[in-house]
Amino acid sequence: MNRASGMETTSLDHCVRCGGCKALCPTYGEDATEGMSARGRVILLKKYMEGELGPSETLDERIFSCMLCGACNTLCPLGIRITDAIYQGRKSLRTSANKRRFIGIAARLAFKRASAGFRALKLFDGIGEILPLQKLRHFRVLHEMGINISGPALRDGASLFKVARPRGRVAVFAGCTVNFLYPQIGISLIRILTGMNYDVVLPKSEVCCGAPLLSLGFEEDAAELAERNVEAFKKMSVEAVIGLCPTCVYFIKDEYRRIVGDSVENALEATQFLSGALPEIKKNMGDAALHTAYHDPCHAFYGLRVHAEPRKLLKSMGVNPIDSEKGCCGFAGTFRLLYPDMSKTLLEKRVAGYKEADMIVTSCPNCILQLRSSIKGRQIKHIVELLDEAVRAHE
Ligand code: SF4
Ligand code: SF4
């Protein structure tokens, strides 16, 4: 442990500065400054860790502008987990910038008590229509994203869905975006699973996965949430915990090990679980999805290494996704709020890549939120919604 930075000694010591990790770094793609690349961040963090660099506005900017997409982790030939070091750096630097003070307070209030937090967000967004709050950048961004919390949350309803002759029992990890903003995606998944004769548990004890708080450097708060989720899901007797947001799944399965030394080991992203059950949901969408693009969410593609599964499911519906360049949609949680200009540039690149598509399908509700903020008049769906439609259309 370095006393100046408070950072643990990490595998950064092994970095040979080859630059392999820069190749897919989205922030470096937008700003070709070394410090905006994965390698640049590694070098800065190592110097900070060793006390050669002190906290500064520039260091803060470089470390907090990382999108935590994880592309760099998959490229390092030495297996260095660059995002682990970024999280550590953020924990150490979290109070260094005034510009994050408001968002830090709001995030801790909102995500530690997500139900009250999301309703307050709606109230503020509504007030923003009347008062000049829209002039404030964060409110403007939220408003542009069309955040709307109108109906009941998914977990406000039943928490157990039983079938007559169950073949097994699974749990659903809804995640905050699905629970509060897109409950219909959760309803679709529950309908598919019960249709496959699974008893489904939707526990009311689920809390935010902690990703937004960890990304702001609040590791202790994220750990508190992690412990509550591990406690809630581990004691359940279920064959899988199925998530509708790849970031949540990546966190509860992988990141929790680092921050609390335990995890929800049987967590699976919805496409991982459903593609394994393919013969039973094989249905054909016919002409409905001829010009469809599939958007790979970063935490699915780089974190969970999910690539073949959604394509297998699309194929089962007769959908052959059109070729499009891969890349981040620019959401990246708090990045969307803290770096709106770069977020928008990345989004517009993705949108341009999908110009041939009538419909864009993905497995992440946050990517849906981001893509819908720019693409109007075309369908943007969670793959689970499409599967649900396909199953119902052929019943
Ligand atoms: S790829 Fe790995 S070894 Fe090469 S610069 Fe990046 S972190 Fe260092
Ligand atoms: S996590 Fe993504 S944005 Fe951050 S350094 Fe790695 S590749 Fe770049």
Side-chain angles (χ1 to χ4, degrees):
M1 166 95 65
N2 176 278
R3 264 185 288 158
S5 65
M7 284 180 70
E8 303 283 343
T9 305
T10 69
S11 56
L12 296 194
D13 288 338
H14 304 301
C15 173
V16 293
R17 303 192 176 189
C18 67
C21 52
K22 287 163 70 169
L24 295 172
C25 180
T27 54
Y28 186 61
E30 295 310 307
D31 177 347
T33 309
E34 178 69 10
M36 290 297 279
S37 75
R39 179 176 68 181
R41 293 184 174 109
V42 166
I43 294 169
L44 287 170
L45 280 170
K46 192 162 181 301
K47 287 186 173 175
Y48 177 56
M49 212 169 68
E50 291 166 354
E52 205 182 309
L53 263 183
S56 69
E57 206 179 305
T58 308
L59 178 67
D60 185 279
E61 200 66 22
R62 301 302 187 226
I63 303 309
F64 278 87
S65 60
C66 163
M67 304 180 80
L68 295 164
C69 65
C72 49
N73 293 340
T74 64
L75 294 171
C76 176
L78 301 177
I80 295 172
R81 294 249 315 184
I82 297 161
T83 49
D84 285 3
I86 301 273
Y87 282 123
Q88 272 204 53
R90 289 185 179 194
K91 185 182 171 191
S92 170
L93 290 164
R94 66 187 171 193
T95 53
S96 64
N98 273 336
K99 76 170 193 171
R100 282 192 313 276
R101 191 151 296 154
F102 167 76
I103 202 168
I105 294 169
R108 291 176 86 190
L109 284 172
F111 291 106
K112 287 184 83 175
R113 281 171 192 74
S115 188
F118 271 80
R119 279 170 178 84
L121 195 67
K122 173 65 181 167
L123 178 70
F124 282 128
D125 197 35
I127 290 170
E129 294 281 354
I130 307 159
L131 301 175
L133 281 173
Q134 288 298 332
K135 292 202 175 103
L136 296 176
R137 193 170 50 127
H138 298 325
F139 282 98
R140 200 171 61 239
V141 171
L142 290 174
H143 190 67
E144 280 169 14
M145 281 156 58
I147 287 187
N148 176 24
I149 308 164
S150 45
L154 179 66
R155 287 197 304 271
D156 286 349
S159 54
L160 180 61
F161 302 81
K162 284 182 83 64
V163 295
R165 270 183 226 90
R167 58 184 282 190
R169 183 179 163 96
V170 292
V172 170
F173 191 99
C176 295
T177 311
V178 165
N179 186 45
F180 296 106
L181 307 184
Y182 298 136
Q184 70 279 7
I185 299 175
I187 292 167
S188 285
L189 178 62
I190 292 164
R191 200 157 36 214
I192 293 171
L193 292 169
T194 49
M196 291 161 66
N197 283 324
Y198 280 100
D199 278 344
V200 180
V201 191
L202 180 69
K204 294 202 188 292
S205 46
E206 177 193 317
V207 290
C208 167
C209 69
L213 291 170
L214 194 63
S215 77
L216 288 165
F218 299 118
E219 191 179 299
E220 297 86 353
D221 298 287
E224 219 179 274
L225 295 172
E227 273 162 2
R228 286 168 66 185
N229 277 327
V230 169
E231 161 80 14
F233 284 90
K234 269 197 112 166
K235 68 182 178 199
M236 250 179 233
S237 167
V238 290
E239 65 187 74
V241 174
I242 307 170
L244 286 157
C245 168
T247 299
C248 296
V249 176
Y250 179 59
F251 261 69
I252 66 176
K253 193 179 179 118
D254 193 301
E255 284 297 334
Y256 280 11
R257 273 188 224 122
R258 187 178 64 79
I259 62 171
V260 292
D262 203 352
S263 76
V264 185
E265 285 143 24
N266 58 346
L268 288 173
E269 200 240 24
T271 66
Q272 292 178 298
F273 184 83
L274 294 174
S275 65
L278 192 65
E280 289 159 79
I281 56 168
K282 186 160 178 154
K283 303 290 173 189
N284 201 309
M285 287 296 282
D287 293 339
L290 283 178
H291 295 99
T292 297
Y294 187 75
H295 172 77
D296 286 290
C298 294
H299 286 148
F301 193 74
Y302 301 123
L304 300 166
R305 311 288 179 118
V306 168
H307 176 264
E309 294 88 337
R311 285 159 179 85
K312 190 175 167 192
L313 287 168
L314 288 172
K315 200 169 167 210
S316 79
M317 293 182 276
V319 177
N320 191 14
I322 55 178
D323 269 345
S324 43
E325 202 189 321
K326 292 196 190 352
C328 180
C329 67
F331 185 79
T334 49
F335 180 87
R336 176 71 167 95
L337 299 175
L338 293 167
Y339 298 92
D341 296 338
M342 197 179 282
S343 169
K344 268 192 179 170
T345 312
L346 286 162
L347 171 61
E348 292 319 323
K349 271 193 185 164
R350 289 291 74 71
V351 171
Y354 299 143
K355 66 177 186 297
E356 305 294 329
D358 295 332
M359 175 158 64
I360 298 136
V361 181
T362 185
S363 67
C364 174
N366 295 311
C367 296
I368 292 176
L369 203 59
Q370 174 83 334
L371 292 167
R372 282 185 184 164
S373 73
S374 174
I375 300 175
K376 308 292 174 197
R378 284 188 284 163
Q379 297 191 75
I380 300 162
K381 286 183 189 241
H382 196 288
I383 191 164
V384 158
E385 291 177 287
L386 196 67
L387 283 165
D388 182 35
E389 279 171 30
V391 171
R392 285 195 289 153
H394 289 80
E395 267 170 6

